[in-house]
Amino acid sequence: MADINRDTIRSENVDIGFIQEVVDAGANRIRTCMQCGTCSSVCPSGRRTAFRTREIIRKALLGLKDEVLSSPDLWLCTTCLTCLERCPRQIKVTDAIIIMRNMAVDEGYMLPSHRKASKKLLETGHAVPLDEANQEMRKELGIPEIPPTVHQHEDALEDVKKIMKRTDFQKLIEGQESEEKE
Ligand code: SF4
Ligand code: SF4
């Protein structure tokens, strides 16, 4: 994510309704953020990456919608909830990040790895394929090599597909694919 500077904050980049959308979706105390940085300091992901929780919140408050939603940093949060527990303003920081991720996907921003896993889910009912290595590990752990899912109940795959179609998940993924091809 780019630093906040004069180039970043231009009026044409500001969406004044953005933060209200985040609030309406459930992050109702986000406007009380005082930029103390506690969320960044306790964030385990931030210790290993350039991800800065406080910065995402700041940019969201500034209305830098595209900047926030298009940033791969938005996906570096592990949703561990530590920031939510420590925020002195009791802001649901993790919820705000999840809300913005949902918005990002709706706007067509999805990481290639997530798209790949989603496509796998559409095709097979599983995001992670059951390969020989996985089966071997399951055997070592003393659990059935084939899990009691669509792998054991192939007829249930049609039901899973129906759910994904009715919830518009299929449309979302296929939409992402066609946008990528354009
Ligand atoms: S801990 Fe809370 S108040 Fe402090 S910067 Fe993070 S979100 Fe804002
Ligand atoms: S929930 Fe996300 S942003 Fe908050 S501390 Fe954990 S990894 Fe960091």
Side-chain angles (χ1 to χ4, degrees):
M1 188 178 278
D3 292 338
I4 298 173
N5 56 41
R6 282 175 187 277
D7 291 333
T8 310
I9 308 172
R10 301 178 75 88
S11 58
E12 63 263 31
N13 295 337
V14 173
D15 182 330
I16 50 169
F18 178 49
I19 200 62
Q20 189 59 47
E21 285 177 51
V22 178
V23 170
D24 290 344
N28 55 354
R29 290 181 58 83
I30 195 168
R31 283 200 179 95
T32 66
C33 173
M34 58 181 174
Q35 287 290 290
C36 66
T38 304
C39 49
S40 290
S41 68
V42 299
C43 177
S45 182
R47 273 179 228 140
R48 288 173 172 76
T49 68
F51 173 57
R52 297 290 174 263
T53 320
R54 181 198 62 79
E55 191 181 324
I56 285 215
I57 301 295
R58 179 68 176 144
K59 288 189 172 180
L61 288 166
L62 287 168
L64 300 173
K65 183 176 179 176
D66 286 342
E67 167 101 18
V68 172
L69 300 189
S70 65
S71 171
D73 288 5
L74 193 57
W75 302 94
L76 292 174
C77 164
T78 62
T79 65
C80 71
L81 304 175
T82 310
C83 54
L84 185 147
E85 285 173 0
R86 301 287 184 86
C87 173
R89 298 283 188 170
Q90 298 177 322
I91 295 166
K92 292 179 181 171
V93 186
T94 321
D95 294 37
I97 290 171
I98 293 169
I99 288 165
M100 291 190 278
R101 284 178 174 177
N102 288 338
M103 289 177 168
V105 173
D106 277 343
E107 295 278 329
Y109 299 115
M110 187 184 263
L111 295 184
S113 53
H114 293 170
R115 191 175 300 116
K116 200 172 161 192
S118 302
K119 204 160 170 259
K120 227 13 163 200
L121 186 64
L122 281 176
E123 289 165 3
T124 68
H126 277 261
V128 180
L130 183 70
D131 54 18
E132 279 183 23
N134 281 340
Q135 285 187 45
E136 198 51 47
M137 276 193 283
R138 292 180 66 89
K139 204 167 142 187
E140 281 169 23
L141 289 167
I143 55 178
E145 281 176 60
I146 309 289
T149 61
V150 289
H151 284 315
Q152 262 187 42
H153 308 281
E154 285 177 20
D155 50 332
L157 183 57
E158 280 315 304
D159 293 333
V160 173
K161 287 184 176 180
K162 267 186 217 161
I163 292 169
M164 289 191 278
K165 197 169 181 177
R166 285 191 192 164
T167 55
D168 280 347
F169 184 73
Q170 185 178 344
K171 204 166 133 192
L172 191 69
I173 303 308
E174 286 171 351
Q176 296 268 344
E177 280 188 324
S178 57
E179 273 168 34
E180 215 183 30
K181 281 175 202 151
E182 282 168 9

